[in-house]
Amino acid sequence: MKETRFVAVCIVFVTFAFIIQLNMVSININSKYTDMAEKQQYKKMVIDDSRGIITDINFNNITNTITNYKTLVTAYDTDLQDVFNALTDNEKSVFDDNIKYYKNFIAEVKYPIKNRYLYPTTQRYSDFNIAQHLVGYIDSTGNGVSGMEKIFNDQLKEANKVRTLRANVNGYGEIISKEEQIEGKQSNLLALTVDNTIQRMCEGIAKEYIPNGSIIVMECKTGKIKAMVSTPFYNANNVSLALKQDYSPLLNKALQSYEAGSVIKPLWASVYLENGYNKDKKYECTGTIEVNGHEYHCANNTAHGEINMEEALKVSCNCYFINAEIENKEFYFRQMAKNINFGDALYLTRDYKTTSGYFPTLEELDNIGQLSSISFGQGRMLLSPIHVAAYMNIFANNGIYVYPQVAQGIYNADNKELITNLYEYNQKQIISEKTAETVKNMLRTVVEEGAMGRACPEHLSAGGKTGTAQTGRYNDNGTEILNAWFCGFYPFDNPKYTICIMMHNGGESTYTAAPIFKKICDSLYYII
């Protein structure tokens, strides 16, 4: 009897334990599937995952200036035809697959749809984005290909906020509720040294008058580039089209090197003055000069008569600068040219740089023919507009050479707090203040009395020099391609900006580049 009771108790205990264990397994299984169900309840969709914006020095946007709109689309929407009609072409291409598989997705629309909530976003580039050659562009993966987009790709991609939509859906994929969220760290902002007002003004002038070339406006004291323009322009939203256009639209002409011509003559003047040459010494120009059996000419074989240095600059006399007698002329000029970085790449920020161009060696300048050609800006010499602007700036800046810069810093986009300073002031004294002042005054005469007065501003005065450079290349009609330059500073008293204009195949600079200099100065008058 006792044994029977014991067995019965054991059976009851085992049964009870089994039931408890079974319940525990059931609870665990239910908990597992509950967790899975909860995970399936929420779907996260990205509304906006943009790069850090690029601005001018005053934090005015250069990129992300266009507002676009997106909307949430589901297979259960009753207005799918209206939605489809409003989608961009890219969104239309994936629309059918998303709807077929009952996917909820965020899509960009070209215009508002009645009774639909829209999420505002920004487009990276407008079709007419300013400073496009300096800014550059990104590829389909969102990585920088050129310009600042490439140089600062990592900084612009990292530490950016992401706007997402967190949707609560049922087992059929229908949205029960949704919430917009911000994820990620702070957004970065890259501020350049350019000024949007000056940049837009120069682009407007370039669009009208410079089909192939560049404009540089540099702040005299700091070396900060306030405008960098290259033509022709291109659409960063359709880069493939630019590959089919003439004059290489994707190439930044401000960084490329070209034949310079007479824009180099003020540098020769400073070399002569620094080495004791008398600026008032007269020279009789007959329009031609023979050196070692080779005959050199002034433009159009013009005989300028008896002239001194200031007059030679004003009329751009080639013969004067070839003839100027100074011992070791080639050595001093080579030394001066190296001091202002001719023949070397100029780094404008990090790895963003000009081409090196070319400047003759001393051995090459020992050739009297090469030296004679270089004396009026021809021969084996190639310079970028950045090089020319930086060199001309020494006359506006008391003989001090300031290295050009294009980037100000990386900032917190929310509070504009500086994260990384990019601007570095770097300068060196190239010529004496006395020499700089003397040449500066000569360049004022060039503007006011030379180039037929075409470079002279309406308000205040300026200094500068024309340059018409032979290239040795010819058009289909047999006419030689000439590079037209004008580089100078404005206003004359206490100069604020150095301006460089380069027009590839621009013809005679007196008639093309000089009037553009005047237009820029007249516009800057209302800004300074």
Side-chain angles (χ1 to χ4, degrees):
M1 187 70 175
K2 289 182 180 179
E3 290 179 357
T4 302
R5 288 180 181 175
F6 177 76
V7 170
V9 170
C10 288
I11 291 172
V12 170
F13 179 79
V14 170
T15 301
F16 181 72
F18 178 75
I19 291 171
I20 291 175
Q21 186 174 5
L22 188 62
N23 285 337
M24 290 296 294
V25 171
S26 176
I27 289 170
N28 288 337
I29 291 174
N30 289 337
S31 176
K32 177 181 178 181
Y33 283 103
T34 298
D35 289 343
M36 290 175 64
E38 287 180 353
K39 289 179 181 179
Q40 290 176 346
Q41 281 183 338
Y42 295 97
K43 180 178 178 61
K44 186 171 68 175
M45 293 167 281
V46 175
I47 299 172
D48 190 11
D49 186 14
S50 61
R51 290 163 67 87
I53 62 174
I54 300 176
T55 75
D56 77 346
I57 196 167
N58 300 311
F59 300 118
N60 298 308
N61 282 24
I62 295 177
T63 63
N64 302 72
T65 59
I66 301 295
T67 299
N68 289 335
Y69 294 94
K70 294 183 178 180
T71 189
L72 172 64
V73 185
T74 79
Y76 297 95
D77 292 336
T78 58
D79 59 346
L80 287 179
Q81 186 60 57
D82 292 337
V83 172
F84 180 81
N85 292 338
L87 295 180
T88 63
D89 291 341
N90 287 338
E91 299 289 7
K92 285 181 179 179
S93 66
V94 297
F95 178 85
D96 287 343
D97 284 343
N98 284 333
I99 296 300
K100 178 180 178 181
Y101 293 104
Y102 290 88
K103 291 183 180 179
N104 302 313
F105 60 100
I106 301 289
E108 185 177 330
V109 294
K110 295 180 289 188
Y111 54 81
I113 308 169
K114 187 177 180 180
N115 298 325
R116 268 197 168 263
Y117 183 80
L118 300 178
Y119 301 95
T121 63
T122 56
Q123 181 176 307
R124 186 66 177 174
Y125 311 114
S126 72
D127 289 345
F128 306 99
N129 218 64
I130 69 166
Q132 55 190 222
H133 291 86
L134 176 57
V135 168
Y137 60 93
I138 57 177
D139 61 18
S140 59
T141 67
N143 286 299
V145 175
S146 67
M148 298 296 99
E149 296 279 28
K150 179 180 180 180
I151 299 300
F152 295 99
N153 186 58
D154 292 343
Q155 291 78 11
L156 292 171
K157 286 192 70 174
E158 69 184 17
N160 287 318
K161 294 180 180 178
V162 180
R163 286 173 63 202
T164 62
L165 185 68
R166 190 169 186 260
N168 183 3
V169 300
N170 63 22
Y172 297 101
E174 294 176 303
I175 293 178
I176 301 169
S177 63
K178 56 185 182 295
E179 179 185 10
E180 188 174 338
Q181 296 180 335
I182 303 292
E183 300 178 0
K185 306 175 185 177
Q186 69 189 38
S187 293
N188 286 343
L189 174 158
L190 171 63
L192 306 181
T193 61
V194 300
D195 182 293
N196 275 9
T197 301
I198 299 175
Q199 180 73 29
R200 287 185 187 278
M201 176 266 291
C202 289
E203 287 186 6
I205 292 173
K207 185 176 182 180
E208 186 170 359
Y209 298 103
I210 305 179
N212 185 12
S214 68
I215 297 175
I216 297 294
V217 178
M218 186 177 80
E219 203 167 57
C220 294
K221 302 298 182 184
T222 65
K224 294 180 181 180
I225 301 295
K226 310 310 289 184
M228 178 186 287
V229 180
S230 178
T231 58
F233 301 113
Y234 68 94
N235 185 346
N237 295 315
N238 190 1
V239 173
S240 60
L241 178 63
L243 299 175
K244 305 172 186 177
Q245 295 174 323
D246 295 332
Y247 305 139
S248 304
L250 298 180
L251 198 64
N252 189 344
K253 309 299 170 54
L255 307 181
Q256 308 308 308
S257 296
Y258 305 90
E259 296 83 358
S262 295
V263 77
I264 205 69
K265 287 173 181 172
L267 186 61
W268 273 113
S270 64
V271 170
Y272 296 154
L273 292 171
E274 287 283 278
N275 289 279
Y277 192 81
N278 182 3
K279 65 182 179 64
D280 297 318
K281 183 178 180 180
K282 293 288 187 176
Y283 167 74
E284 182 72 27
C285 171
T286 63
T288 62
I289 185 173
E290 185 177 310
V291 179
N292 266 20
H294 185 82
E295 196 172 73
Y296 296 88
H297 303 261
C298 282
N300 302 316
N301 293 323
T302 301
H304 296 116
E306 196 174 66
I307 55 174
N308 60 21
M309 184 181 290
E310 181 176 56
E311 293 163 336
L313 280 175
K314 183 178 72 175
V315 299
S316 201
C317 178
N318 294 340
C319 298
Y320 176 94
F321 287 96
I322 293 173
N323 181 74
E325 298 172 355
I326 176 174
E327 194 174 352
N328 297 320
K329 174 179 177 179
E330 68 283 358
F331 172 79
Y332 290 124
F333 188 63
R334 172 69 184 171
Q335 186 180 50
M336 180 75 77
K338 290 302 293 181
N339 281 341
I340 55 176
N341 305 292
F342 284 4
D344 298 322
L346 281 174
Y347 285 79
L348 307 180
T349 185
R350 296 195 176 177
D351 291 330
Y352 190 69
K353 61 183 179 179
T354 68
T355 57
S356 298
Y358 187 80
F359 196 82
T361 64
L362 273 177
E363 290 74 18
E364 288 174 309
L365 291 177
D366 277 340
N367 181 309
I368 192 64
Q370 186 64 229
L371 180 61
S372 297
S373 296
I374 293 293
S375 295
F376 60 100
Q378 294 294 158
R380 298 192 64 197
M381 179 174 63
L382 298 171
L383 301 172
S384 77
I386 296 287
H387 281 91
V388 175
Y391 126 69
M392 187 65 73
N393 193 54
I394 65 175
F395 305 117
N397 204 28
N398 300 316
I400 297 172
Y401 181 94
V402 182
Y403 283 82
Q405 298 275 287
V406 296
Q408 185 67 31
I410 298 171
Y411 296 80
N412 181 321
D414 296 322
N415 57 21
K416 307 302 186 293
E417 180 181 345
L418 181 65
I419 298 171
T420 305
N421 179 54
L422 298 172
Y423 169 71
E424 296 179 5
Y425 177 71
N426 191 6
Q427 56 82 28
K428 54 185 176 182
Q429 190 81 37
I430 297 296
I431 56 177
S432 67
E433 288 189 36
K434 180 181 179 182
T435 295
E437 184 67 19
T438 300
V439 177
K440 179 186 175 185
N441 287 324
M442 292 179 182
L443 295 176
R444 179 177 189 168
T445 302
V446 171
V447 167
E448 294 181 346
E449 301 178 20
M452 302 173 67
R454 293 173 180 267
C456 191
E458 292 290 337
H459 307 283
L460 308 179
S461 190
K465 182 72 184 75
T466 54
T468 303
Q470 296 174 283
T471 66
R473 299 182 295 277
Y474 294 83
N475 292 330
D476 293 339
N477 61 9
T479 302
E480 185 174 15
I481 294 172
L482 302 176
N483 291 335
W485 296 77
F486 197 99
C487 191
F489 42 86
Y490 178 82
F492 180 82
D493 296 318
N494 192 24
K496 188 168 184 179
Y497 300 112
T498 292
I499 304 154
C500 184
I501 298 126
M502 195 290 296
M503 305 172 66
H504 183 64
N505 198 18
E508 288 287 341
S509 57
T510 294
Y511 302 98
T512 55
I516 294 174
F517 177 79
K518 175 188 183 304
K519 289 179 183 294
I520 294 173
C521 292
D522 289 341
S523 298
L524 288 173
Y525 172 77
Y526 296 99
I527 297 173
I528 58 177

